[in-house]
C-alpha cells in the first residue's frame, strides 16, 4: 500500500538552515538612495527619486525578513584602511555619518549593535589565514557612509546586529584590483560564521560602473537628468549582470575583473569578491532585484541564496 505524506499547503520543502551564510546581497550605498527615503535618522529632506532602485531594496527587505538572520555582515569600500583588514569590534557604534562629497544629502545619525563575538572571530580567522588584520575598538571612529548606507537600505529598523569590515583594497587609487586577498578574507569570514553558529546574511556594499557627473542639478533628485554615464558603461554593467543572472557564480571570477577594467567599477574595492568567496562561489545564479543609475553610476541590488 502506498504511503501518503501530507504537507501543509505553502510549507517549504527545504529544511531551514540553522547556522551559516543563508544569503548574500550586492547592496550598493549611494547616499542619494538614503536621502530619497527621508528616514528620520538623516537630516536632509528630499522629494524622492531613484524609485526603481529603492523598490529593489524594498524587495530585499521582504526577503531578509524571511531569512531571519542573527547578524548582517557588511564589507564596504569607504572604510578605507591602508594597512590591513579591520573589523569593527565596538559594541555600540553611535554618531553621525557624513558623506564628504554630498554632506547636503547625507548626515545620518546611527546607533546600532555589533555582534562582537563574531567580529572577534573574523579577526582571529583572518589573522590565522595570514592576513594583516586589526580589531577596531575605538568608539570615536566615525562609521563610513558606505557601511551605513547599505545597512540602512537593507534594514532601516537596525534590529539585527552587525559586523562591519573595512576595505584594504582602495577603490580609487590603484589601477589593478588585488582581489586575491578578498578570497582569503571571504573564506575566513565563512569559517568564523560557522564556528560561532551564526545565521548570517552578507552585504557587499558596491556600486557597479563608477564614472559619474561632476555637476549636480538644482534639485538633486531631478530624475530628468539621471541616466548612465555613457553607453559603454551601461553595456558593461549589463554584460556583468547577464553573467550574474545566468550563473554559476564561478564565471564571475573572470567577469568581475573584466568589468572593473571596462567600467572603473567600484567592485575593485573587493566587497563583491569577498561575498562570493565567503559563500564558496556557489553554483547558482543571482537574482537581480533592481538596476538603476545614481549620478550616472550603475547600481544593482542582487540576491544569492547558496
Ligand atoms: Fe561608493
Amino acid at each position: 500500500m502506498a504511503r501518503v505524506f501530507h504537507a501543509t499547503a505553502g510549507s517549504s520543502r527545504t529544511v531551514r538552515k540553522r547556522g551559516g551564510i543563508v544569503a548574500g546581497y550586492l547592496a550598493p550605498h549611494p547616499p542619494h538612495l538614503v536621502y530619497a527615503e527621508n528616514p528620520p535618522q538623516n537630516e536632509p529632506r528630499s522629494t524622492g527619486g531613484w524609485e526603481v532602485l529603492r523598490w529593489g531594496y524594498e524587495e530585499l527587505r521582504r526577503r531578509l525578513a524571511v531569512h531571519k538572520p542573527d547578524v548582517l555582515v557588511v564589507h564596504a569600500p569607504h572604510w578605507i584602511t591602508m594597512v590591513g583588514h579591520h573589523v569593527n569590534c565596538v559594541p555600540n557604534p553611535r554618531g553621525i555619518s557624513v558623506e564628504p562629497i554630498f554632506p547636503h544629502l547625507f548626515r545620518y545619525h546611527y546607533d546600532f549593535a555589533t555582534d562582537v563575538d563574531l567580529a572577534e572571530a573574523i579577526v582571529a580567522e583572518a589573522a590565522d589565514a595570514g592576513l594583516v588584520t586589526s580589531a577596531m575598538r575605538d568608539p570615536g571612529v566615525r562609521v563610513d557612509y558606505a557601511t551605513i548606507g547599505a545597512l540602512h537600505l537593507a534594514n532601516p529598523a537596525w534590529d539585527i546586529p552587525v559586523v562591519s569590515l573595512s576595505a584594504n583594497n582602495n577603490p580609487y587609487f590603484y589601477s589593478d584590483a588585488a582581489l586575491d586577498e578578498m578570497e582569503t578574507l571571504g573564506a575566513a569570514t565563512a569559517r568564523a560564521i560557522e564556528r560561532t553558529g551564526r545565521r548570517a546574511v552578507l552585504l557587499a556594499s558596491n556600486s557597479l560602473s563608477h564614472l559619474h557627473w561632476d555637476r549636480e542639478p538644482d534639485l538633486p533628485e531631478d530624475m530628468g537628468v539621471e541616466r548612465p554615464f555613457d553607453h559603454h558603461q551601461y553595456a558593461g554593467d549589463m554584460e556583468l549582470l547577464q553573467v550574474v543572472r545566468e550563473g554559476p557564480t564561478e564565471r564571475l571570477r573572470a567577469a568581475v575583473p573584466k568589468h572593473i577594467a571596462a567600467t572603473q567599477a567600484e567592485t575593485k574595492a573587493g566587497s563583491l569578491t569577498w561575498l562570493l568567496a565567503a559563500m564558496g562561489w556557489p553554483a547558482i545564479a543571482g537574482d537581480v532585484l533592481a538596476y538603476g543609475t545614481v549620478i550616472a553610476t550603475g547600481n544593482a541590488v542582487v540576491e544569492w541564496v547558496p
Side-chain angles (χ1 to χ4, degrees), residues 29 77-78 145 172 210 266:
H29 58 260
H78 301 306
Y145 72 93
Y172 302 123
H210 217 49
E266 199 183 35

Side-chain angles (χ1 to χ4, degrees), residues 13-302:
R13 284 182 297 144
T14 57
V15 176
R16 183 178 287 277
K17 189 176 174 183
R18 179 45 229 157
I21 298 167
V22 293
Y25 293 93
L26 182 60
H29 58 260
H32 305 68
L33 300 182
V34 176
Y35 162 73
E37 300 260 296
N38 286 314
Q41 299 98 324
N42 197 32
E43 292 178 6
R45 295 293 96 185
S46 77
T47 63
W50 303 279
E51 276 74 8
V52 175
L53 273 169
R54 295 196 288 117
W55 295 339
Y57 265 113
E58 285 182 18
E59 176 61 17
L60 184 159
R61 291 171 208 151
R62 282 191 283 273
R63 296 183 182 198
L64 190 65
V66 174
H67 292 310
K68 291 184 168 50
D70 301 323
V71 60
L72 299 175
V73 186
V74 58
H75 187 281
H78 301 306
W79 179 15
I80 297 170
T81 50
M82 302 309 287
V83 180
H85 305 270
H86 296 212
V87 183
N88 190 337
C89 295
V90 176
N92 176 208
R94 276 171 291 180
I96 304 177
S97 185
V98 178
E99 215 286 14
I101 300 173
F102 299 100
H104 56 302
L105 303 183
F106 193 88
R107 297 190 303 279
Y108 188 100
H109 296 252
Y110 62 88
D111 180 346
F112 63 90
T114 295
D115 183 337
V116 176
D117 288 347
L118 177 58
E120 299 275 7
I122 293 173
V123 172
E125 289 288 349
D128 285 351
L131 296 178
V132 176
T133 314
S134 179
M136 199 286 283
R137 305 185 195 282
D138 182 350
V141 171
R142 178 179 278 181
V143 178
D144 69 285
Y145 72 93
T147 299
I148 296 296
L151 286 168
H152 170 86
L153 290 162
N155 181 36
W158 293 91
D159 55 358
I160 303 169
V162 168
V163 174
S164 155
L165 280 66
S166 79
N168 180 221
N169 182 357
N170 194 300
Y172 302 123
F173 298 159
Y174 306 126
S175 58
D176 289 312
L179 298 178
D180 290 354
E181 281 202 9
M182 305 314 294
E183 292 266 3
T184 307
L185 185 64
T189 302
R191 284 195 300 276
I193 289 167
E194 291 291 341
R195 181 150 68 83
T196 53
R198 296 297 193 272
R199 184 176 170 82
V201 163
L202 307 188
L203 304 175
S205 177
N206 274 163
S207 293
L208 297 181
S209 64
H210 217 49
L211 295 184
H212 54 77
W213 312 129
D214 59 5
R215 298 286 186 277
E216 186 174 61
D218 291 338
L219 182 68
E221 60 268 39
D222 182 351
M223 293 295 100
V225 296
E226 184 61 73
R227 62 178 175 81
F229 190 85
D230 59 24
H231 180 65
H232 175 78
Q233 297 284 306
Y234 179 81
D237 284 351
M238 291 306 111
E239 186 176 335
L240 181 79
L241 290 176
Q242 187 64 21
V243 177
V244 167
R245 294 174 72 241
E246 290 173 358
T249 60
E250 182 69 28
R251 290 175 61 202
L252 291 167
R253 285 184 193 272
V256 167
K258 182 182 175 197
H259 177 249
I260 290 169
T263 70
Q264 322 299 323
E266 199 183 35
T267 53
K268 183 159 47 174
S271 310
L272 177 58
T273 300
W274 161 81
L275 176 135
L276 295 168
M279 293 194 296
W281 299 92
I284 57 174
D287 192 3
V288 178
L289 308 184
Y291 175 85
T293 62
V294 177
I295 60 168
T297 66
N299 294 271
V301 182
V302 181

